[in-house]
Amino acid sequence: MTITQHTHPPETTTRRARRLTTPALSAFALAAALALSACGSAPTPSAADQHTSHAAHAEGGDEAETAQSRLVLTHDGGMSVLDADTGKVAAELPLSGFNRVSPAGDGRHVLVSTAGGFQVLDMGSWSEKHGDHFHHFTGTPALEELKFPANKPGHVVNHDGRTVLFDDGTGSIQIFNPGDLGQGALPATQEFKTSAAHHGVAVQLAGGELVVTEGTSESRSGVKLLAKPASNGTREVLAESNDCPGVHGEATAQGGAVVVGCQDGLLVVKDGKITKIAAPERYGRIGNQAGSDASPVVLGDYKKDKNAELERPATFSLTNTATGTLTLVPINYSYSFRSLARSADGAALILGTDGKLHIHDANSGKESGAVTVVAPWEEPLDWQQPRPAIFVDGTTAYVSEPAKKLLHVVDLGSSTVTASHSLAHTPNEITGISG
């Protein structure tokens, strides 16, 4: 499964919000907001804010009977790391500015977008294989000094055992094995640079091929499939398309297909080819997607009002990468870019503004269930502002409710809310690790 975290204004961002923002609520935002592709950068914390290194904290962890999942929730001025089972706070990590978080891909670390790059957060819970069994450990979460350099850190994509980082400020890409994190130094990276800086994304496939967007700070419409690098580091172009205005976001599906969103449909990269699936309207934007290894279908948003300051969509999209078909599903609620997720069995999950977590069959689009989780809400105009968000780990969904400072736990198997935890801060973004 591909896990993508947007560390920049999402495709659902309003035109007003685009003018206002990059991910920083401090004075740093003013400078970053000069580019549309500006990405979630928060000021680098002072030495007093930094937690000590991985070696001093996490390696001194205690052995646990089972793997311990943990969550990290951002808030104004820092991040809270919680035990996913109990909701207990494992650490409060001060960090000024608007912070964005992404799974690093190893089940232990999270990447935090900061000024100057992607900083490594050790969540303090991990498993180590010994022979035919695992040993599980828990320790103190620590925001490390290690940082992957980036001018404007953008998308983080985990896929096929590789993590790919995109720098919107330079168009540069860094690829690394997330299993090499936790050794006290940054892992070796393979690097590639697009032809121009832009708000982009890249995905490395199992065979070493690279799917990458192309564009400029003014416009984006290109996608390329590049071969595995030659001995001199160059990559041959295997396929390309410029038929994707406003290219944004990606997801992968069962069978290795990669989907990239456009303002008039999407592109599917599969079996060495790039195929366009057009939207029925001239303007039908699919800018945020959620894929699953358990399904050939990709869940996406769908917007059709090009001139809206903030369109509150009443339709979502399902793209079948096996058949090449796009299905639009009308609904009687709306949602935001933090509302889309997939269950372990591939069901399409949408956290609606009606306060319910809607569960849809990804093949037919039919709703199979709905769980009331939060109070009805409305998407704020400013994309940085908190709104309910969802993160799924296995058969459990975690849903934040900023208005009440709550975190709800939903058992997707029984479609019930099993716990609600009070939070010390108003939550914004949420992600987690499996331990």
Side-chain angles (χ1 to χ4, degrees):
M1 179 176 69
T2 296
I3 302 175
T4 305
Q5 184 75 16
H6 301 157
T7 50
H8 46 75
E11 189 66 3
T12 53
T13 304
T14 69
R15 290 180 296 159
R16 185 176 80 97
R18 287 182 190 271
R19 292 196 298 268
L20 287 172
T21 62
T22 68
L25 298 181
S26 64
F28 177 72
L30 182 59
L34 294 176
L36 171 63
S37 64
C39 147
S41 297
T44 303
S46 66
D49 288 341
Q50 294 280 6
H51 283 246
T52 53
S53 69
H54 169 277
H57 273 265
E59 291 300 354
D62 299 318
E63 188 160 3
E65 292 184 3
T66 59
Q68 305 292 309
S69 297
R70 282 180 170 172
L71 307 169
V72 57
L73 294 95
T74 67
H75 56 83
D76 186 14
M79 300 173 289
S80 302
V81 179
L82 310 181
D83 180 277
D85 293 328
T86 66
K88 291 181 61 176
V89 176
E92 291 286 1
L93 305 175
L95 186 63
S96 60
F98 178 81
N99 306 309
R100 311 214 69 185
V101 287
S102 313
D106 64 344
R108 173 175 179 172
H109 295 87
V110 163
L111 298 179
V112 183
S113 295
T114 70
F118 303 89
Q119 192 159 356
V120 179
L121 166 60
D122 190 328
M123 296 283 279
S125 179
W126 72 100
S127 300
E128 296 178 1
K129 189 171 184 179
H130 294 273
D132 59 354
H133 64 283
F134 285 87
H135 288 273
H136 309 290
F137 301 90
T138 58
T140 303
L143 183 61
E144 301 181 1
E145 296 181 359
L146 300 176
K147 183 187 297 184
F148 293 90
N151 182 271
K152 294 176 182 175
H155 273 288
V156 176
V157 177
N158 314 135
H159 181 63
D160 273 330
R162 290 295 181 269
T163 298
V164 183
L165 312 177
F166 197 98
D167 182 353
D168 288 352
T170 63
S172 298
I173 295 163
Q174 299 176 75
I175 306 165
F176 66 93
N177 180 352
D180 292 338
L181 283 167
Q183 305 302 317
L186 288 178
T189 59
Q190 184 181 94
E191 300 190 6
F192 179 82
K193 190 169 185 179
T194 59
S195 57
H198 67 285
H199 180 42
V201 67
V203 188
Q204 180 161 303
L205 307 183
E209 301 88 353
L210 188 68
V211 178
V212 61
T213 59
E214 288 284 356
T216 69
S217 60
E218 300 298 324
S219 65
R220 312 181 305 275
S221 62
V223 173
K224 290 182 178 180
L225 174 62
L226 306 176
K228 184 177 179 178
S231 57
N232 63 359
T234 61
R235 289 179 179 263
E236 178 188 357
V237 178
L238 301 177
E240 62 182 312
S241 173
N242 288 310
D243 190 17
C244 190
V247 59
H248 186 277
E250 64 73 44
T252 58
Q254 186 183 60
V258 177
V259 169
V260 180
C262 316
Q263 290 182 351
D264 59 355
L266 34 73
L267 296 179
V268 177
V269 185
K270 183 180 178 183
D271 299 329
K273 300 178 181 179
I274 302 178
T275 305
K276 179 67 174 283
I277 299 180
E281 287 93 5
R282 185 174 180 179
Y283 181 87
R285 186 174 66 183
I286 303 173
N288 299 280
Q289 311 88 15
S292 169
D293 284 343
S295 171
V297 178
V298 170
L299 167 67
D301 58 0
Y302 190 78
K303 293 192 170 184
K304 51 189 178 182
D305 185 354
K306 186 176 183 179
N307 297 316
E309 181 181 27
L310 174 63
E311 183 175 349
R312 304 185 189 279
T315 303
F316 68 87
S317 62
L318 294 169
T319 302
N320 191 316
T321 60
T323 62
T325 56
L326 172 65
T327 301
L328 301 180
V329 182
I331 49 180
N332 59 4
Y333 56 89
S334 188
Y335 55 91
S336 85
F337 71 98
R338 291 187 182 141
S339 293
L340 308 180
R342 305 298 293 272
S343 67
D345 61 2
L349 308 178
I350 303 177
L351 180 59
T353 54
D354 58 357
K356 297 179 180 179
L357 178 57
H358 298 265
I359 304 171
H360 290 259
D361 181 276
N363 294 306
S364 67
K366 292 182 179 179
E367 186 173 293
S368 58
V371 188
T372 299
V373 185
V374 301
W377 54 282
E378 184 176 81
E379 181 179 6
L381 288 177
D382 184 347
W383 74 273
Q384 291 180 345
Q385 292 302 305
R387 80 286 308 280
I390 181 173
F391 171 73
V392 175
D393 183 10
T395 59
T396 304
Y398 300 92
V399 176
S400 63
E401 188 170 12
K404 297 182 179 179
K405 294 185 181 179
L406 291 173
L407 176 69
H408 305 286
V409 183
V410 181
D411 183 338
L412 296 174
S414 61
S415 296
T416 57
V417 177
T418 58
S420 295
H421 304 301
S422 296
L423 302 171
H425 309 279
T426 300
N428 201 334
E429 293 203 350
I430 179 173
T431 192
I433 54 97
S434 60

